[in-house]
Amino acid sequence: MKVAKFGGSSLASGKQLEKVYNIVLSDPERKVIVVSAPGKRYSDDIKVTDLLITIGEKSLAGEVVEQELQAIVDRYAQIAEELNLTSEIIDKIRENLVGLINGDKSNPTLYIEALKAAGEDNNAKLVAAYFNARGQEAHYVNPKEAGLFVTNEPGNAQVLPESYENLYRLRERSGILIVPGFFGYSLDGAVLTFSRSGSDITGSILANGVKAELYENFTDVDAVYSVNPSIVKQPKEIRELTYREMRELSYAGFSVFHDEALIPAFRAGIPVNVKNTNNPSAPGTLIVSKRENKNGPVIGIASDDGFCSIYVSKYMMNREIGFGRKVLQILEDFGLSYEHVPSGIDDMTVVLREKQLNKEIELEVLQRIKNELNADEVIIEHHLALIMVVGEGMRHNVGTTARAAKALAGVDINIDMINQGSSEVSMMFGVKAQDEKRAVQALYNEFFASVLV
Ligand code: ASP
């Protein structure tokens, strides 16, 4: 049995739904189908989920939402029309949305959660109706009915372990099961969503629950690329990579597959196949627990900007027990999350996402570190980019860091920071944000130009 998840762009129009139908029907093992809400049809289109969030916010502020409601109903209606479905399904969708808009607002967060989930929920009903209209036995399955229970964390729900046993029972159901992605239910019956793009997470949970042989994640690219295609033209495709490699790459900016979605599949050892709805015969990328290392030490290079670093130095820091903890405690007091902490004998650097800071917080944090810890120097540096060079093969290869550093030196880029060794599968370089793209290109040339994939 396979679980197949289709993303928003795979379900954005009637034509796309036809492709989905053909893909599902071409393999009888594809029994559990997870769907996103209709996504973008073109680059500045608006996702249904974003329209729903606007409706929720406006409606809580007492504003009229008729226009947005109509825009959403029109999106579904257009799809239904393209597929020659009767208007019955669209009436049901409108009714559902109106019910939610007029629903209980006493808990504003839960009110928005229920609306946010409606994009997926109604899409699953629409997809099931389409499969039925084509003569297939297909059933819409609500996550509550399936037993997908989650923690009470709005926008960041986590699956509850008991869900997996409940979901196993889906195996006994007949026909194709169409499940909306992106949300589950708390034990007291409220709708709670996963983090954004969380339909990937639903797919992975279901794959684990039904003990699928494969979790297929259908999107709009042929593969996970070795580097961001908007930085390097036509980069090499990755055929196979490990969960750990995928985790590192998606952390640092690869958005093809949600990093949280790896966990349930990884725990059950289920391979994940990222595939293209628009080119289903392409093999895609397979994410597995172990792979043979054939093509050199590096599998991918990811980068992201928007980081800053706080450099702290104090003579004899190495003798002062608890110094690092105290620095991190100050950050915790401000609710700041950090990403990396490279350190030396008398200095440490804490790397964080700079969007968490504003001028006042920044000043207070620096002053507290300086005053409370008697630091000699506390310096913040803004506008940094982090580049992650990732590959299981790095551990066993001599000279990977030297090659990377040489490649950067070759294009005159100063390395502000290196963190190597804390992760077995990656190496991190901090450079000025303005150098990010050139750095990635240089590293790509070094590690991939001569590699056959
Ligand atoms: N529709 C949701 C979002 O836009 C979830 C998803 O697409 O996976 O975040």
Side-chain angles (χ1 to χ4, degrees), residues 143-336:
K144 191 194 252 173
E145 175 198 346
L148 204 181
F149 294 112
V150 296
T151 56
N152 229 319
E153 292 168 89
N156 187 34
Q158 305 292 316
V159 63
L160 292 176
E162 58 261 46
S163 300
Y164 291 113
E165 256 173 58
N166 303 337
L167 295 172
Y168 188 73
R169 290 199 286 272
L170 289 177
R171 291 181 69 97
E172 291 149 24
R173 303 229 356 209
S174 67
I176 297 165
L177 309 180
I178 316 280
V179 188
F182 192 37
F183 68 98
Y185 284 81
S186 65
L187 289 173
D188 47 18
V191 167
L192 271 313
T193 62
F194 297 121
S195 49
R196 288 301 302 266
S197 302
S199 298
D200 283 355
I201 304 175
T202 306
S204 186
I205 293 169
L206 280 165
N208 180 317
V210 302
K211 301 282 165 271
E213 85 196 52
L214 184 67
Y215 170 27
E216 295 178 306
N217 194 278
F218 282 90
T219 172
D220 50 13
V221 288
D222 272 352
V224 175
Y225 294 103
S226 49
V227 68
N228 186 341
S230 71
I231 300 184
V232 175
K233 280 204 185 77
Q234 294 184 317
K236 300 227 152 73
E237 292 179 2
I238 302 177
R239 284 279 84 83
E240 200 177 57
L241 79 172
T242 66
Y243 298 109
R244 291 204 300 180
E245 290 171 328
M246 187 69 229
R247 159 80 181 116
E248 299 267 355
L249 290 170
S250 49
Y251 158 76
F254 274 37
S255 57
V256 185
F257 190 66
H258 199 305
D259 50 1
E260 265 185 66
L262 284 168
I263 309 157
F266 164 75
R267 291 218 172 106
I270 298 165
V272 182
N273 195 357
V274 175
K275 281 179 76 82
N276 191 352
T277 301
N278 307 313
N279 184 17
S281 58
T285 297
L286 201 61
I287 310 170
V288 291
S289 350
K290 267 208 181 105
R291 69 176 176 93
E292 237 183 274
N293 187 42
K294 293 180 237 151
N295 290 317
V298 177
I299 190 104
I301 299 163
S303 66
D304 205 1
D305 61 1
F307 293 94
C308 63
S309 67
I310 301 177
Y311 167 80
V312 185
S313 96
K314 184 176 183 185
Y315 189 58
M316 304 287 265
M317 183 194 284
N318 66 324
R319 299 249 190 109
E320 204 175 316
I321 291 170
F323 189 90
R325 182 188 53 74
K326 287 177 202 147
V327 172
L328 297 179
Q329 181 63 56
I330 293 175
L331 297 181
E332 191 178 335
D333 291 346
F334 287 90
L336 299 171

